[in-house]
Amino acid sequence: MSKTTEQVRQSLAKRYRAEKRFRAFGIASIAFGLLALLLLFTDIIGKGHTAFFEHYIQMEVTFDADTLGIDDATNQDQLNFANYDGVIRNALRERFPQVQSRGQKRELYSLISTGAGYPLRDMLASHPALLGQTRTLWLLADDDVDQYFKADRQGREDSRLTPEQKAWLTSLDDNGQVKKEFNASFFTSGDSREPELAGIWGAVCGSFFTMLVTLLLSFPIGVAAAIYLEEFAPRNRFTDFIEVNINNLAAVPSIIFGLLGLAIFIGLFGMPRSVPLVGGIVLTLMTLPTIIISSRAAIKAVPPSIREAAMGLGASPMQVVLHHVMPLAMPGMLTGAIIGMAQALGETAPLLMIGMVAFIVDVPAGPVDPATVLPVQIYLWADSPEQSFVALTSAAIMVLLAFLIAMNTLAVFLRKRLERRW
Amino acid sequence: MDNASTLNKGQQVRRAANPLQAEGKPPMSNEHPYPEKTVGAPFVDDPKMRMRDVDVFYGDKQAIHGVSLDIGKNEVVALIGPSGCGKSTFLRSLNRMNDTIDICRVSGSLHLEEQDLYDPKMDVVELRARVGMVFQKPNPFPKSIYDNVAYGPRLHGLANKKYDLDEIVETSLRKAGLWEEVKDRLHQPGTGLSGGQQQRLCIARTIAVSPEVVLMDEPCSALDPIATAKIEELIAELSESYTIAIVTHSMQQAARVSQRTAYFHLGHLVEMNDTDTVFTKPQHSLTEAYITGRFG
Ligand SMILES: Nc1ncnc2c1ncn2[C@@H]1O[C@H](COP(=O)(O)OP(=O)(O)O)[C@@H](O)[C@H]1O
Ligand SMILES: [Mg+2]
């Protein structure tokens, strides 16, 4: 064997070892990433899954006209001011006639959620004939009760409930008067001070409208800016200056954009506080640099030969852009937009500045209704003292992640549709 | 030689800028003086395109020095010369493709028949419809074969009905000698064709707008010999209805396809004559040196 062959062989062995090391390193990094993700998910799902169920207590409720304080169940005003809590209390007292003292009564009443009366109102509104009748109904339990039933043995002992309350609940449970149900209201209602009534829908809608405004503003503006800078702008000091500043903007802390939004959109232009429209505009400012930078990269990647071909056939610069550059760069531009939108979706700080952190119960119906957004909702719940909000926080994180996954899936789908692999 | 006197004056000024000396190299030899003006017969009667004293600059750097030549009707003119001598630059100034390069500046007089190409009133879109271009690297659009050919006619509104467009696409592909190969796959991507087919597709795309002049910049340099032969055949056929200017690296190709040949050297047009004359009896020593393979 010649000397060269021997040398080549040795260097080859070295090279293979290096390649192996490199691959092992890559796999280790990915495994680490996946592990972190897995931990995150287990933790969140472990904590949050209980929030998707809640407990109901069965009661014999009499729609007593005197207690309700109404005489006409078709009158909206009367329905709105009727004392539904009163009939629920009556039902509780009837179920546990031995409870006499005021303190004990208060403890008894607190087993049922303060929001349990709303369904009664709706029932009465749709069936006025119920007035004066008795029905067996499932009433939403208070969050402490809910926690008690969800807890294990140790958790039940540590519960905030008094021994009497625990005894009553055991009695109800033994009678089959307690049930666990899917927490649909979590997905349909807005925020509430009561954990068992609080829902994510308000924040989902707020996030949706905010994202909509952000997308509608930032994508066209970002793409137009990128196209202008790449295809039309002369190369001079001024455009260099713009370029540097776009890159700088991408690094500005997001809370600065919030301050800007507060000072300009709310202070100067008098736009309302706490609304998705202003939130969307602020997040647009934040998202624009990302979209511009990635769109420019996508435009740069379009082969110049395609531009020449079109130009050689007599296409105007605008036609070259519309017919050739845009379609070819679109997948890359979309990716940039999605990355920007995903950042914007998780952004809290600038929205705090423009008042989207307010406690808002109503589900927003449009971009100018006061609203909060998912990450702010998470922040608010994580900050709440009630034990039940821990699960709600995790559940809200799951919803945020689902929102994110949905957005990314849509982006991947769009990319696949638009990408030309030829 | 209609404006030989102005030509001479222009050349005199540039005399000092003999590029061989400017680059610090000695002249090839004493018998290789740089020409004061183009030797041979760069001009013809009643030309299709008439270029006089064309200078092209990239920023401060001059790439073309006072080139004057004519391209006759329905003739194939070959532009040859060592690489970097400005063949592409000159060709691209004939349909103002250089406009797309910010730093590029063209001066001199360039006419397509009676029209001044660089007249501010000249419409570039119209010019490029009349003077088409085929590029070095086949560059079909990432669209179907049909859409590639139909792009130009659609752009210029040449066909209002689907039927007319179909016809244009078919005749163009037939002229480009590609119809038989692709007629069953018109709606498949043009980029799926072989290199030679792609280049013929690009030629079909160019002639679909019925240009008067077709500029080709080394159309075969990326192709294998068989594909090259096909394109050369095609050029011969096309010259019956079009005027063609072709830049080529291969002297054999120039000899095979062209009626007249122009030899460029470092941005100067050294010699232009009948192709036969250029290759058999070159009048300038630089031309001779190039065609005998002494440099290139
Ligand atoms: N876009 C450009 N910017 C600056 N200089 C250029 C550009 N294109 C070509 N040149 C220069 O012009 C000269 C002629 O180039 P070119 O016309 O491409 O030569 P050829 O096609 O004969 O090989 C070369 O020196 C080249 O470096
Ligand atoms: Mg070239």
Side-chain angles (χ1 to χ4, degrees):
Chain A
M1 197 184 298
S2 82
K3 194 159 175 285
T4 339
T5 321
E6 190 52 40
Q7 277 176 334
V8 166
R9 204 160 271 179
Q10 277 171 5
S11 83
L12 267 185
K14 211 166 131 194
R15 207 164 76 190
Y16 289 146
R17 273 201 305 278
E19 271 167 21
K20 239 184 211 151
R21 263 202 311 277
F22 187 73
R23 193 159 53 188
F25 186 68
I27 291 173
S29 328
I30 289 177
F32 179 74
L34 284 179
L35 192 72
L37 204 65
L38 195 73
L39 276 177
L40 177 80
F41 277 155
T42 353
D43 179 54
I44 289 173
I45 294 175
K47 276 194 194 136
H49 75 278
T50 57
F52 295 119
F53 295 93
E54 56 191 359
H55 285 85
Y56 289 80
I57 295 174
Q58 195 184 48
M59 284 286 132
E60 301 277 323
V61 180
T62 308
F63 290 89
D64 180 38
D66 285 346
T67 320
L68 287 168
I70 62 174
D71 45 32
D72 177 9
T74 54
N75 184 321
Q76 284 296 323
D77 275 348
Q78 290 198 10
L79 279 178
N80 286 344
F81 293 104
N83 181 11
Y84 301 104
D85 289 347
V87 296
I88 292 173
R89 286 174 191 174
N90 285 348
L92 280 165
R93 273 204 308 277
E94 268 168 42
R95 174 64 179 76
F96 297 102
Q98 71 276 22
V99 176
Q100 290 299 333
S101 78
R102 284 189 57 164
Q104 281 207 322
K105 276 184 189 167
R106 203 177 309 122
E107 283 176 8
L108 181 61
Y109 300 157
S110 73
L111 293 183
I112 301 289
S113 163
T114 50
Y118 304 137
L120 299 191
R121 182 205 170 277
D122 295 342
M123 280 177 70
L124 202 52
S126 48
H127 305 285
L130 274 177
L131 196 61
Q133 305 219 8
T134 304
R135 285 282 181 280
T136 308
L137 299 177
W138 288 100
L139 301 174
L140 182 59
D142 187 67
D143 65 306
D144 284 331
V145 174
D146 190 50
Q147 285 292 306
Y148 176 77
F149 283 121
K150 283 172 181 170
D152 52 15
R153 175 181 285 266
Q154 180 61 40
R156 289 189 180 193
E157 272 173 24
D158 296 347
S159 169
R160 298 202 312 188
L161 297 178
T162 62
E164 287 85 359
Q165 285 177 314
K166 288 179 190 171
W168 297 327
L169 289 176
T170 315
S171 145
L172 283 167
D173 201 12
D174 293 345
N175 267 344
Q177 284 178 288
V178 175
K179 73 167 179 182
K180 187 165 129 179
E181 265 214 344
F182 179 65
N183 182 1
S185 72
F186 177 73
F187 295 101
T188 55
S189 54
D191 197 7
S192 169
R193 297 275 184 232
E194 304 299 331
E196 73 274 16
L197 296 176
I200 196 74
W201 190 240
V204 168
C205 289
S207 269
F208 174 77
F209 290 125
T210 309
M211 287 298 106
L212 195 69
V213 172
T214 310
L215 183 68
L216 290 183
L217 288 176
S218 65
F219 192 62
I221 297 177
V223 167
I227 287 177
Y228 177 73
L229 286 173
E230 267 318 304
E231 300 280 324
F232 299 104
R235 293 267 174 277
N236 56 29
R237 285 235 184 115
F238 183 63
T239 45
D240 285 350
F241 177 75
I242 290 179
E243 180 155 0
V244 169
N245 278 294
I246 287 173
N247 294 337
N248 284 343
L249 271 187
V252 168
S254 57
I255 196 153
I256 308 289
F257 289 110
L259 284 169
L260 184 82
L262 180 64
I264 294 187
F265 302 123
I266 295 178
L268 205 59
F269 297 158
M271 288 177 160
R273 280 173 164 271
S274 313
V275 300
L277 179 66
V278 178
I281 296 175
V282 168
L283 292 179
T284 296
L285 296 178
M286 212 197 78
T287 314
L288 265 178
T290 315
I291 296 191
I292 294 178
I293 291 169
S294 59
S295 296
R296 289 185 70 175
I299 292 171
K300 273 203 187 94
V302 175
S305 65
I306 297 291
R307 288 188 186 85
E308 285 209 313
M311 216 102 76
L313 286 168
S316 68
M318 201 62 231
Q319 285 171 324
V320 173
V321 167
L322 288 180
H323 299 166
H324 302 284
V325 176
M326 282 266 277
L328 288 173
M330 197 43 88
M333 291 177 171
L334 274 179
T335 310
I338 287 299
I339 292 172
M341 296 292 288
Q343 275 174 358
L345 178 64
E347 200 54 68
T348 337
L351 300 179
L352 301 186
M353 301 309 301
I354 58 155
M356 288 190 86
V357 71
F359 171 70
I360 290 149
V361 176
D362 293 322
V363 174
V368 287
D369 288 345
T372 189
V373 292
L374 283 166
V376 175
Q377 187 70 76
I378 291 167
Y379 165 77
L380 285 171
W381 284 349
D383 215 26
S384 298
E386 284 90 342
Q387 182 66 34
S388 297
F389 276 121
V390 174
L392 281 179
T393 306
S394 293
I397 294 173
M398 282 193 250
V399 172
L400 178 66
L401 288 177
F403 206 112
L404 210 71
I405 291 170
M407 257 169 63
N408 284 338
T409 315
L410 182 72
V412 170
F413 174 74
L414 280 178
R415 272 192 74 127
K416 282 264 152 61
R417 287 289 305 271
L418 293 171
E419 213 155 50
R420 289 152 204 254
R421 253 164 294 155
W422 60 31
Chain B
M1 314 284 149
D2 35 12
N3 49 1
S5 57
T6 49
L7 242 162
N8 258 333
K9 236 189 278 163
Q11 297 284 358
Q12 227 101 58
V13 178
R14 279 186 291 274
R15 185 71 180 85
N18 182 333
L20 294 180
Q21 280 160 4
E23 298 221 337
K25 291 180 206 153
M28 304 290 296
S29 84
N30 282 344
E31 316 108 21
H32 289 183
Y34 206 78
E36 279 182 39
K37 66 194 211 55
T38 305
V39 298
F43 307 130
V44 297
D45 293 333
D46 192 20
K48 184 78 194 174
M49 296 191 84
R50 196 168 65 110
M51 275 61 67
R52 293 294 179 273
D53 295 317
V54 176
D55 292 329
V56 183
F57 297 85
Y58 289 111
D60 294 334
K61 197 174 146 246
Q62 188 166 5
I64 293 290
H65 301 258
V67 169
S68 300
L69 62 82
D70 285 342
I71 300 175
K73 291 198 166 103
N74 285 23
E75 77 171 349
V76 180
V77 168
L79 312 180
I80 61 169
S83 90
C85 69
K87 307 178 296 286
S88 300
T89 303
F90 182 72
L91 197 74
R92 290 164 57 91
S93 62
L94 300 188
N95 73 342
R96 293 183 56 175
M97 281 303 283
N98 282 335
D99 288 15
T100 60
I101 300 170
D102 282 344
I103 55 166
C104 187
R105 208 157 44 74
V106 179
S107 70
S109 105
L110 297 91
H111 285 83
L112 172 62
E113 289 177 334
E114 287 320 307
Q115 263 180 307
D116 183 355
L117 302 189
Y118 286 81
D119 186 335
K121 286 199 289 277
M122 181 77 202
D123 187 64
V124 189
V125 172
E126 187 203 312
L127 171 64
R128 291 189 189 143
R130 292 177 64 191
V131 183
M133 185 144 197
V134 176
F135 298 86
Q136 184 164 3
K137 210 174 124 252
N139 55 355
F141 299 129
K143 297 175 189 283
S144 71
I145 294 174
Y146 184 96
D147 287 337
N148 260 285
V149 183
Y151 183 72
R154 278 184 182 139
L155 204 59
H156 300 294
L158 300 185
N160 297 321
K161 297 198 200 72
K162 173 96 174 69
Y163 175 81
D164 294 338
L165 196 59
D166 287 350
E167 196 170 279
I168 293 180
V169 170
E170 178 173 343
T171 36
S172 309
L173 284 170
R174 272 191 198 286
K175 280 191 202 164
L178 196 59
W179 176 252
E180 291 303 326
E181 290 159 65
V182 301
K183 65 180 178 201
D184 300 324
R185 46 193 282 207
L186 286 178
H187 295 284
Q188 283 171 28
T191 37
L193 298 172
S194 75
Q197 288 174 323
Q198 284 188 18
Q199 193 61 299
R200 276 181 284 151
L201 177 62
C202 292
I203 293 175
R205 182 175 67 187
T206 304
I207 59 184
V209 292
S210 310
E212 298 159 37
V213 182
V214 179
L215 310 173
M216 299 185 172
D217 190 352
E218 305 197 30
C220 303
S221 66
L223 306 183
D224 60 79
I226 294 172
T228 302
K230 280 214 169 111
I231 304 263
E232 285 178 6
E233 226 170 87
L234 182 58
I235 291 171
E237 278 167 35
L238 292 178
S239 70
E240 285 166 20
S241 28
Y242 305 94
T243 301
I244 295 172
I246 177 172
V247 169
T248 171
H249 223 79
S250 140
M251 280 171 279
Q252 292 85 342
Q253 185 169 65
R256 281 194 297 265
V257 301
S258 71
Q259 280 93 59
R260 293 199 308 139
T261 296
Y263 172 66
F264 281 75
H265 192 100
L266 292 172
H268 296 257
L269 176 58
V270 174
E271 178 165 354
M272 184 163 185
N273 227 327
D274 288 343
T275 300
D276 284 346
T277 318
V278 170
F279 285 106
T280 53
K281 295 188 284 289
Q283 296 176 14
H284 197 278
S285 45
L286 282 171
T287 319
E288 192 186 352
Y290 181 69
I291 62 170
T292 52
R294 265 185 278 155
F295 61 91

